[in-house]
């Protein structure tokens, strides 16, 4: 099989990948047939599944703009995925040209493409690392070179922790991140949740993801709140992703009760 020249050596192309599936759902082209087949299957099983990706991306933009408006100039985006329109550095640096952004992803395609689009941008960089090893991220020399952890940092964990099972202790991951950041730093997160009105759809998605290397783990609002122990929640708290500081111009976007969004500040 001949691969495009943007594919790094050794990339597994026979099983679907979360970052590449998200890229396809958003209209990107850094994905393979197996990723497209998975997303199409999910859309058929749960009509509107693609809209979840767009709602999550819209929250990223709204939350980053809010964070910049509240004085944040440093961003650590863990599980950043494959760059597409409305990236964190584009949004942040449009609002504040001095904003610094460090991307982190485990997928080599996401990292390679990030490196390509960030070439020549001294205030943004990317590393390949796993959210399950926060110490490897927080103390990585490229991260500490770009970001000053003696100053406030916004850590973004969008659509990533629901791929971390309880056996990998997501609470400890969050604790390590919280302890590494200073007062007035933030953690922004989106996370899949299991709601009664979507029980059938949730089960369909859960079964589909069992066929991938990253099964999905739905958590309740209370469980997401527990992950943010020690953080003060920014209003309106933990809400469906479309309800967090909604854009008045997007009033007709379909609600997404199956994805929660929250921003917490370290007091």
């Amino acid at each position: 099989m001949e691969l495009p020249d943007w594919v790094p050596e050794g990339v597994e192309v026979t099983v679907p990948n979360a970052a590449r599936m998200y890229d396809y759902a958003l209209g990107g082209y850094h994905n393979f047939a197996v990723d497209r087949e998975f997303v199409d299957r999910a859309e058929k099983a749960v009509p509107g599944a693609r809209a979840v990706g767009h709602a999550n991306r819209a929250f990223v933009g709204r939350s980053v703009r809010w964070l910049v408006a509240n004085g944040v100039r440093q961003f650590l985006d863990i599980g950043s995925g494959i760059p597409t329109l409305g990236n964190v550095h584009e949004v942040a640096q449009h609002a504040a040209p001095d904003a610094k952004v460090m991307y982190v992803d485990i997928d080599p395609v996401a990292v390679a493409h990030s490196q390509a689009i960030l070439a020549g941008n001294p205030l943004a960089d990317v590393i390949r690392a796993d959210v399950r090893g926060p110490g490897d991220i927080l103390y990585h020399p490229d991260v500490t070179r770009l970001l000053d952890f003696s100053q406030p940092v916004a850590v973004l964990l969008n659509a990533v922790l629901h791929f971390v099972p309880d056996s990998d202790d997501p609470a400890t991951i969050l604790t390590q991140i919280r302890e590494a950041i200073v007062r007035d730093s933030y953690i922004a997160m989106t996370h899949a949740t299991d709601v009664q009105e979507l029980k059938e759809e949730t089960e369909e998605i859960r079964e589909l993801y069992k066929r991938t290397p990253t099964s999905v783990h739905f958590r309740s609002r209370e469980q997401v709140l527990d992950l943010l122990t020690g953080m003060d929640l920014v209003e309106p708290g933990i809400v469906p992703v479309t309800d967090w500081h909604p854009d008045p111009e997007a009033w007709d976007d379909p609600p997404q009760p199956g994805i929660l969004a929250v921003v917490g500040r370290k007091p």
Side-chain angles (χ1 to χ4, degrees), residues 145-219:
R145 173 189 53 78
L146 183 66
L147 304 181
D148 178 2
F149 283 92
S150 70
Q151 300 297 317
V153 176
V155 180
L156 312 182
L157 292 161
N158 294 310
V160 63
L161 288 177
H162 49 233
F163 296 120
V164 177
D166 290 343
S167 58
D168 283 324
D169 199 358
T172 295
I173 293 171
L174 266 293
T175 296
Q176 291 181 47
I177 292 172
R178 187 186 70 246
E179 290 178 348
I181 56 180
V182 299
R183 180 181 181 182
D184 290 329
S185 292
Y186 292 85
I187 295 176
M189 179 194 313
T190 60
H191 198 296
T193 192
D194 194 352
V195 292
Q196 187 61 39
E197 62 265 35
L198 296 176
K199 202 156 191 65
E200 186 175 332
E201 291 90 338
T202 297
E203 197 55 42
E204 291 269 13
I205 294 296
R206 183 182 282 114
E207 288 302 315
L208 281 171
Y209 268 97
K210 283 182 180 178
R211 306 174 195 175
T212 78
T214 48
S215 56
V216 66
H217 305 272
F218 295 84
R219 294 187 173 97

Side-chain angles (χ1 to χ4, degrees), residues 131-154:
V131 66
R132 294 172 296 180
D136 295 335
I137 296 170
L138 296 164
Y139 305 110
H140 190 286
D142 289 346
V143 174
T144 56
R145 173 189 53 78
L146 183 66
L147 304 181
D148 178 2
F149 283 92
S150 70
Q151 300 297 317
V153 176

